[in-house]
Protein backbone atom coordinates (compact mmCIF):
# COMPACT_ATOMS: atom_id res chain seq x y z
CA UNK A 1 0.00 0.00 0.00
CA UNK A 2 1.05 3.58 -0.60
CA UNK A 3 1.66 5.80 2.37
CA UNK A 4 -0.19 9.11 2.61
CA UNK A 5 3.00 11.16 2.27
CA UNK A 6 3.76 9.89 -1.22
CA UNK A 7 2.71 11.90 -4.23
CA UNK A 8 1.68 9.17 -6.67
CA UNK A 9 -0.76 9.32 -9.55
CA UNK A 10 -2.33 5.94 -10.28
CA UNK A 11 -3.81 5.77 -13.74
CA UNK A 12 -6.56 3.37 -14.80
CA UNK A 13 -5.31 0.01 -16.04
CA UNK A 14 -5.34 -1.00 -19.67
CA UNK A 15 -7.79 -3.88 -19.63
CA UNK A 16 -7.12 -4.96 -23.22
CA UNK A 17 -3.49 -5.49 -24.15
CA UNK A 18 -1.46 -7.98 -26.19
CA UNK A 19 -3.01 -11.43 -25.78
CA UNK A 20 -2.97 -12.79 -29.30
CA UNK A 21 -1.54 -16.07 -28.00
CA UNK A 22 -5.06 -16.66 -26.64
CA UNK A 23 -6.90 -15.82 -29.89
CA UNK A 24 -8.04 -19.42 -30.35
CA UNK A 25 -10.28 -18.99 -27.30
CA UNK A 26 -13.61 -17.39 -28.31
CA UNK A 27 -14.11 -13.92 -26.88
CA UNK A 28 -10.45 -13.04 -26.50
CA UNK A 29 -9.83 -9.33 -26.96
CA UNK A 30 -6.31 -8.35 -27.90
CA UNK A 31 -4.22 -5.53 -29.30
CA UNK A 32 -1.40 -6.11 -31.75
CA UNK A 33 2.10 -5.38 -30.49
CA UNK A 34 2.20 -2.29 -32.73
CA UNK A 35 -1.10 -0.95 -31.35
CA UNK A 36 -0.13 -1.57 -27.72
CA UNK A 37 3.22 0.12 -28.31
CA UNK A 38 1.48 3.13 -29.87
CA UNK A 39 -0.94 3.35 -26.91
CA UNK A 40 1.91 3.22 -24.39
CA UNK A 41 3.89 5.85 -26.31
CA UNK A 42 0.85 8.17 -26.43
CA UNK A 43 0.08 7.73 -22.72
CA UNK A 44 3.74 8.35 -21.91
CA UNK A 45 3.78 11.45 -24.07
CA UNK A 46 0.63 12.73 -22.35
CA UNK A 47 1.91 12.26 -18.82
CA UNK A 48 5.32 13.70 -19.77
CA UNK A 49 3.66 16.81 -21.16
CA UNK A 50 1.82 17.15 -17.82
CA UNK A 51 5.18 17.28 -16.06
CA UNK A 52 5.48 13.66 -14.93
CA UNK A 53 9.07 12.50 -15.24
CA UNK A 54 8.86 9.09 -13.53
CA UNK A 55 6.62 6.31 -14.73
CA UNK A 56 6.09 2.75 -13.53
CA UNK A 57 4.51 0.35 -16.00
CA UNK A 58 2.90 -2.37 -13.90
CA UNK A 59 2.39 -5.49 -15.99
CA UNK A 60 -0.27 -8.10 -15.34
CA UNK A 61 0.27 -10.35 -18.38
CA UNK A 62 3.45 -12.04 -19.58
CA UNK A 63 2.50 -11.47 -23.22
CA UNK A 64 3.17 -7.74 -22.76
CA UNK A 65 6.78 -8.03 -21.56
CA UNK A 66 8.63 -7.35 -24.81
CA UNK A 67 6.35 -4.45 -25.81
CA UNK A 68 6.71 -2.84 -22.38
CA UNK A 69 10.51 -3.02 -22.64
CA UNK A 70 10.43 -1.20 -25.99
CA UNK A 71 7.94 1.40 -24.73
CA UNK A 72 10.00 2.08 -21.61
CA UNK A 73 13.17 2.59 -23.64
CA UNK A 74 11.39 4.84 -26.14
CA UNK A 75 9.91 7.00 -23.35
CA UNK A 76 13.31 7.32 -21.67
CA UNK A 77 14.88 8.48 -24.93
CA UNK A 78 12.13 10.71 -26.29
CA UNK A 79 10.83 12.27 -23.08
CA UNK A 80 13.79 11.87 -20.69
CA UNK A 81 11.51 9.94 -18.32
CA UNK A 82 12.64 7.49 -15.70
CA UNK A 83 10.59 4.42 -16.60
CA UNK A 84 10.46 1.18 -14.63
CA UNK A 85 8.63 -2.01 -15.48
CA UNK A 86 7.36 -4.45 -12.89
CA UNK A 87 4.72 -7.15 -12.61
CA UNK A 88 2.67 -8.71 -9.85
CA UNK A 89 4.48 -12.01 -10.31
CA UNK A 90 7.79 -10.26 -9.63
CA UNK A 91 6.53 -9.39 -6.15
CA UNK A 92 5.12 -12.84 -5.42
CA UNK A 93 6.59 -14.67 -2.45
CA UNK A 94 6.57 -18.29 -3.51
CA UNK A 95 7.19 -20.55 -0.52
CA UNK A 96 10.31 -22.73 -0.73
CA UNK A 97 8.20 -25.88 -0.31
CA UNK A 98 6.21 -25.13 -3.49
CA UNK A 99 6.43 -28.02 -5.94
CA UNK A 100 8.76 -27.06 -8.81
CA UNK A 101 6.21 -28.28 -11.36
CA UNK A 102 3.74 -25.68 -10.07
CA UNK A 103 6.27 -22.95 -10.82
CA UNK A 104 7.14 -24.44 -14.22
CA UNK A 105 3.64 -25.26 -15.50
CA UNK A 106 1.12 -23.26 -13.49
CA UNK A 107 -0.10 -20.57 -15.86
CA UNK A 108 -3.65 -19.27 -15.65
CA UNK A 109 -6.11 -19.80 -12.79
CA UNK A 110 -3.79 -22.33 -11.18
CA UNK A 111 -2.31 -22.39 -7.71
CA UNK A 112 -0.19 -19.25 -8.09
CA UNK A 113 -2.77 -16.94 -9.68
CA UNK A 114 -5.55 -18.22 -7.43
CA UNK A 115 -3.39 -17.62 -4.34
CA UNK A 116 -2.60 -14.10 -5.52
CA UNK A 117 -6.28 -13.32 -6.07
CA UNK A 118 -7.20 -14.78 -2.68
CA UNK A 119 -4.64 -12.47 -1.11
CA UNK A 120 -5.85 -9.25 -2.77
CA UNK A 121 -9.47 -9.78 -3.87
CA UNK A 122 -10.85 -12.93 -2.24
CA UNK A 123 -14.44 -11.94 -3.06
CA UNK A 124 -13.65 -12.54 -6.76
CA UNK A 125 -12.58 -16.17 -6.22
CA UNK A 126 -15.21 -18.90 -6.29
CA UNK A 127 -13.48 -21.66 -4.35
CA UNK A 128 -16.41 -24.02 -5.01
CA UNK A 129 -14.97 -24.33 -8.53
CA UNK A 130 -11.44 -25.05 -7.33
CA UNK A 131 -10.16 -28.49 -8.21
CA UNK A 132 -6.80 -30.19 -8.34
CA UNK A 133 -6.27 -29.51 -12.02
CA UNK A 134 -3.16 -30.92 -13.65
CA UNK A 135 -2.01 -28.59 -16.43
CA UNK A 136 -1.96 -30.34 -19.81
CA UNK A 137 1.31 -28.57 -20.51
CA UNK A 138 3.01 -31.13 -18.25
CA UNK A 139 2.33 -33.78 -20.88
CA UNK A 140 3.67 -31.81 -23.83
CA UNK A 141 6.77 -33.16 -25.47
CA UNK A 142 9.79 -31.51 -23.90
CA UNK A 143 12.21 -30.05 -26.39
CA UNK A 144 15.92 -29.93 -25.63
CA UNK A 145 17.30 -26.60 -24.52
CA UNK A 146 18.74 -24.66 -27.50
CA UNK A 147 22.48 -25.20 -27.87
CA UNK A 148 23.16 -21.48 -27.40
CA UNK A 149 21.61 -21.52 -23.95
CA UNK A 150 22.93 -24.77 -22.43
CA UNK A 151 24.75 -24.46 -19.17
CA UNK A 152 26.71 -27.69 -19.57
CA UNK A 153 29.20 -26.47 -22.18
Amino acid sequence: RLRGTQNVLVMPPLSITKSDEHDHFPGTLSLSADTLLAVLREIGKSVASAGVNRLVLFNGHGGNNAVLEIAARDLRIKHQMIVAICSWFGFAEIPAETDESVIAYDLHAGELETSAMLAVRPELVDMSKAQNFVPTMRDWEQFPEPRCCRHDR
Side-chain angles (χ1 to χ4, degrees), residues 16-68:
I16 300 172
T17 59
K18 186 183 171 307
S19 295
D20 52 350
E21 68 273 22
H22 301 297
D23 279 348
H24 60 280
F25 293 106
T28 297
L29 300 176
S30 183
L31 300 177
S32 69
D34 290 337
T35 300
L36 178 57
L37 183 56
V39 168
L40 293 168
R41 286 174 173 156
E42 293 295 322
I43 290 171
K45 177 183 172 184
S46 295
V47 297
S49 68
V52 173
N53 58 10
R54 295 180 197 164
L55 182 63
V56 175
L57 301 174
F58 194 92
N59 186 19
H61 176 60
N64 297 321
N65 291 342
V67 177
L68 289 172

Side-chain angles (χ1 to χ4, degrees), residues 2 4 7 24 28 34 37 40 44 46 61 73 76-77 90 100 106-107 112 118-120 135 152:
L2 297 174
N7 186 13
H24 60 280
T28 297
D34 290 337
L37 183 56
L40 293 168
S46 295
H61 176 60
R73 184 182 58 240
R76 286 182 201 119
I77 294 168
E100 286 185 25
D106 186 61
L107 294 177
L112 297 178
L118 284 169
V120 296
D152 59 353

Side-chain angles (χ1 to χ4, degrees), residues 97-148:
E97 65 272 8
T98 302
D99 184 320
E100 286 185 25
S101 66
V102 169
I103 297 167
Y105 301 112
D106 186 61
L107 294 177
H108 296 302
E111 243 180 88
L112 297 178
E113 283 190 351
T114 302
S115 296
M117 287 302 297
L118 284 169
V120 296
R121 296 289 303 275
E123 71 278 7
L124 297 179
V125 180
D126 183 353
M127 288 303 292
S128 71
K129 294 182 180 180
Q131 298 180 24
N132 187 17
F133 290 108
V134 176
T136 57
M137 192 168 129
R138 288 185 187 189
D139 298 328
W140 294 356
E141 181 179 337
Q142 297 299 305
F143 297 96
E145 189 174 2
R147 188 159 194 60
C148 66

